[in-house]
Each structure stands twice: as C-alpha cells, then as structure tokens.
Amino acid sequence: MSEQDLFKRSIAELIGTYVLVFLGTGSVVTTVLLTQGATLIPGNTFNIGIDIAAWFAIGISFGIAVLAMIYAFGHISGTHINPAVSIALWATKRMKTSDMVSYIVAQLIGASLASFTIVAIFGSRAIGTGLGATAMFDGVSYGQAILCEAVATFFLMLTIMGTAVDKRAPGGFAGLAIGLVVAADITVVGNITGSSLNPARTFGPYLAELLLGGQNLWWQFPIYLIGPIIGALVAALIYDYVSDVKKVS
C-alpha cells in the first residue's frame, strides 16, 4: 500500500481514538461532576462518588464509542484505536512494522487531543476529576493491576479476533460484540484499575493531567502498557492456534 494510503488509515486511527477517549473519559468527568456537585475537594481522585450504576454508565459510553468508530472506520483502518491491538496484530504478522508504528503514534495523538478538548470544554474543574485517568484503587497491588488489565484485554482481543479479524465470522456484528465486551469489562473490573485495556486511553489523560497541573500518575503507566499488551498477544496467539485462521496480510 502507498504512503498516502497509510497516512489516511492513520488519520482514521487518530480520529477513532479521539472519539473513544473523549466519550469514554468524558463520561467519567461528567459522572464525577454530577455526583460531587460544583465543589470538588482538592486532591480527590476520579473514583470518588462512583458506584456500580455509574460504572455501568461509563462502560456503556466507552462501548458505544468503540461500536460507532468500528462502523465508521472499520473498513478504512480496521479501527484498532488501541496500541495493544495493533501490536498483537503486528506480532501475528497481520501488520507491517511501519503501519504499526504509524497507527500507535496516531492513537496516542488522538487520545491526547481528546483529553485537552475535554478541559477546553469543561474548564479547569475537569482537571479536579482526574480527566478519567485510570489508576489502581485502594488495596490493589501493582501485580494484581497488571493481571487485571491483561485478563480484561484478553477478553477484548479474543472478541476482536473472532468477530473482526477472522473473515469467516458473520458480517456486521463486530462493532456490537466488541463494544459490548468493552462495556462489560469496565463494569466488572472498573473498580480495580479503571479498566483501561488500552495504553492510549491511559496516555491521553495522564499527559493532559501532568501538563495542566493535575495529578502525576506516570508511575502507574507500566500497568496499562504491560497488562493490555500481554493480554492482547496471548488472545491473538490462542485464537490463531484454536481456529487455524489464515493471516489477512
């Protein structure tokens, strides 16, 4: 494929990741602002005031964002909108190295732009909510957090492999299936790690928080890098083994 074609697909990944992070993390910001009112105690983390009903609402917001972007850009870029997914498809020889790098850069830019846009719209009060940044909850160890992210991303990648990558799958259902598993993951384990499943989804809020005077959570970023990548790789390899699916490129 031409360099122009790769650029267009990368733009699709940037926009798709932007929408995912804006709608998903934006739902966190809105939820916190609604449950806490106009006054936020300085230093409060994003999870204050969020219960299971709110986690479900947040999960659905992320799920709808994923679903919409798959149907909008799936036929253009494949709608990875997640570095862990791109890395897993590259590792299983479904992506060229140059394509993978371009996709990941685009995904990180899209996620970052989304977080800065949220601040531009909500104002400085959004920074006090944590901008939907993912973080370990009380009583969760570093190792537990990595395992949690790996397992949840495994479910996501397995669904992607079976509904979007495998050409034998029934057409038209990938967006719905993938969106629903994202929503389920967040609802179930959101209270453990924030249920990122996606290094870019964590990168955007972390960068905006750091540059705009919010929390510095970068010491936790390896959780959201290692866990999702391991989970996605294991899922892709297992799916290939049990399905004998042929490579698409």
Side-chain angles (χ1 to χ4, degrees), residues 183-203:
D185 272 343
I186 293 172
T187 302
V188 174
V189 300
N191 204 50
I192 306 298
T193 61
S195 194
S196 173
L197 324 175
N198 183 339
R201 176 259 181 271
T202 293
F203 180 90

Side-chain angles (χ1 to χ4, degrees), residues 23-200:
L23 292 181
T25 63
S27 70
V28 178
V29 172
T30 299
T31 298
V32 175
L33 291 174
L34 287 174
T35 56
Q36 292 296 298
T39 303
L40 290 171
I41 300 173
N44 274 0
T45 52
F46 76 96
N47 57 294
I48 301 299
I50 296 182
D51 56 20
I52 188 62
W55 276 121
F56 178 74
I58 292 167
I60 288 297
S61 294
F62 272 102
I64 290 172
V66 170
L67 184 155
M69 290 304 97
I70 287 174
Y71 290 131
F73 293 121
H75 57 290
I76 297 174
S77 70
T79 313
H80 298 183
I81 58 177
N82 184 337
V85 172
S86 296
I87 289 171
L89 294 178
W90 167 79
T92 54
K93 304 185 185 306
R94 291 180 169 87
M95 284 193 82
K96 296 178 181 178
T97 301
S98 59
D99 289 17
M100 177 195 66
V101 172
S102 183
Y103 270 39
I104 291 175
V105 170
Q107 291 156 3
L108 295 177
I109 292 173
S112 301
L113 289 175
S115 292
F116 286 111
T117 303
I118 288 173
V119 176
I121 291 173
F122 284 88
S124 59
R125 64 178 180 170
I127 300 173
T129 69
L131 294 180
T134 51
M136 294 184 293
F137 281 58
D138 290 342
V140 179
S141 71
Y142 216 86
Q144 286 175 314
I146 291 175
L147 178 61
C148 177
E149 286 293 311
V151 171
T153 309
F154 174 86
F155 298 153
L156 170 61
M157 190 68 199
L158 203 62
T159 305
I160 291 171
M161 294 296 291
T163 62
V165 176
D166 193 336
K167 299 306 180 184
R168 299 170 296 182
F173 292 99
L176 181 61
I178 296 167
L180 287 176
V181 79
V182 167
D185 272 343
I186 293 172
T187 302
V188 174
V189 300
N191 204 50
I192 306 298
T193 61
S195 194
S196 173
L197 324 175
N198 183 339

Side-chain angles (χ1 to χ4, degrees), residues 8-29:
K8 290 179 179 178
R9 287 184 284 127
S10 297
I11 291 296
E13 285 294 304
L14 186 156
I15 296 171
T17 311
Y18 176 92
V19 173
L20 167 66
V21 175
F22 182 87
L23 292 181
T25 63
S27 70
V28 178
V29 172

